[in-house]
Amino acid sequence: MDQMMGGGDGGIAGQAGFPLEQWFWEMPLCTRCWTTATVIASMLVQCQIITPFQLFYSFRAVFFKNQYWRLLTTFVYFGPLSLDLVFHVFFLQRYSRLLEESSGRSPAHFSWLLLYATTCLICLSPLVSMPFLGPPLSSTLVYIWSRRNPETRLSFLGLLVFTAPYLPWVLMGFSLVVHGVIPKDEIMGVVIGHVWYFFSDVYPPLHNGSRPFDPPMWWRRIFEGRPREETADTINNEIAVAAAPEVR
């Protein structure tokens, strides 16, 4: 019986918990942190430890009352525990993970994209009265992924089959039908995502490979350390200086 149920005391727990644990640790660093923070924020609100009023972005609260944590919490709260939260977390981790994995092993490029998108959203938020900025940030990532995978075919609710570039517009239509209002958050995310896509994927081939939206070297050093070429040149120079005869 023990063998049939999984073999011993830890068999069932090991088989049931391992896939979820593996899925969690296989996520790239930025996506894993964002997904974890999103779930934790919703659980804290659900348990009434904190309230949504402590999490949303407000220019006055941040820059006049020094509540700087709102610059981060506005991107990790998608609502209380509900089916809508599950929907948001699925799209967040799926397309964030796909983009981050395609950016290379170092998180420098993807984190620079997140910094660009979050900065743009914070600057535009007062213009559209949008206190929570997680949904438009997710829409930005969905749009960039969809433009970079034009041949990928998707199915929405098992009824509608389309190619990836139509995904943002399908989601906008679905949101309009469900909520009955124009999805300003998704529109703003698409606009910000298109600017990034243009300067990262369209602009370089037309301007001799110039990539104005690539992370600067100082940002890459935070995640990658000093480049190999620079390190090798520095070592060679130090060896040459040490081997040079002393001038008297």
Side-chain angles (χ1 to χ4, degrees):
M1 178 64 71
D2 288 341
Q3 294 178 350
M4 294 176 61
M5 296 300 294
D9 296 337
I12 299 177
Q15 290 187 353
F18 179 73
L20 181 61
E21 181 181 0
Q22 183 179 16
W23 167 81
F24 177 79
W25 289 110
E26 283 181 350
M27 282 191 289
L29 177 62
C30 296
T31 300
R32 184 166 67 244
C33 292
W34 189 16
T35 303
T36 303
T38 297
V39 175
I40 291 176
S42 296
M43 292 179 65
L44 291 176
V45 171
Q46 190 73 24
C47 296
Q48 299 183 353
I49 298 175
I50 58 176
T51 69
F53 297 102
Q54 298 172 284
L55 304 178
F56 70 87
Y57 170 73
S58 165
F59 182 86
R60 179 175 296 275
V62 172
F63 297 103
F64 288 92
K65 298 182 179 180
N66 300 324
Q67 298 177 1
Y68 298 113
W69 68 82
R70 295 178 184 270
L71 293 172
L72 297 177
T73 57
T74 184
F75 294 103
V76 301
Y77 183 67
F78 288 79
L81 297 179
S82 63
L83 184 61
D84 188 57
L85 175 65
V86 174
F87 181 79
H88 279 295
V89 170
F90 170 78
F91 274 90
L92 180 157
Q93 69 84 25
R94 174 175 172 80
Y95 294 104
S96 175
R97 175 177 181 171
L98 290 173
L99 266 185
E100 187 171 1
E101 289 177 342
S102 66
S103 298
R105 300 186 63 180
S106 170
H109 283 78
F110 185 73
S111 60
W112 184 252
L113 164 59
L114 291 180
L115 180 63
Y116 153 80
T118 53
T119 302
C120 290
L121 289 169
I122 288 174
C123 293
L124 295 175
S125 174
L127 303 179
V128 293
S129 300
M130 192 176 300
F132 292 106
L133 302 176
L137 178 57
S138 181
S139 297
T140 298
L141 303 183
V142 169
Y143 178 84
I144 296 173
W145 177 86
S146 68
R147 293 302 302 268
R148 288 180 173 176
N149 296 271
E151 303 300 326
T152 302
R153 298 183 64 83
L154 303 171
S155 174
F156 186 72
L157 301 178
L159 302 174
L160 182 63
V161 179
F162 52 90
T163 54
Y166 291 100
L167 177 60
W169 315 109
V170 171
L171 295 177
M172 283 187 200
F174 180 75
S175 179
L176 179 61
V177 171
V178 172
H179 299 103
V181 295
I182 297 176
K184 295 185 297 182
D185 54 348
E186 297 189 22
I187 293 175
M188 189 163 62
V190 165
V191 171
I192 293 173
H194 183 73
V195 173
W196 177 275
Y197 169 76
F198 176 81
F199 283 104
S200 297
D201 294 67
V202 179
Y203 182 89
L206 303 177
H207 295 80
N208 299 320
S210 174
R211 306 182 66 87
F213 274 31
D214 272 9
M217 186 58 65
W218 64 266
W219 182 266
R220 296 179 59 183
R221 285 173 179 166
I222 296 175
F223 299 92
E224 303 171 2
R226 299 164 66 182
R228 289 185 177 181
E229 294 81 1
E230 180 181 339
T231 304
D233 291 341
T234 303
I235 294 175
N236 291 335
N237 291 336
E238 292 176 352
I239 294 175
V241 171
E246 182 180 355
V247 179
R248 296 182 179 178

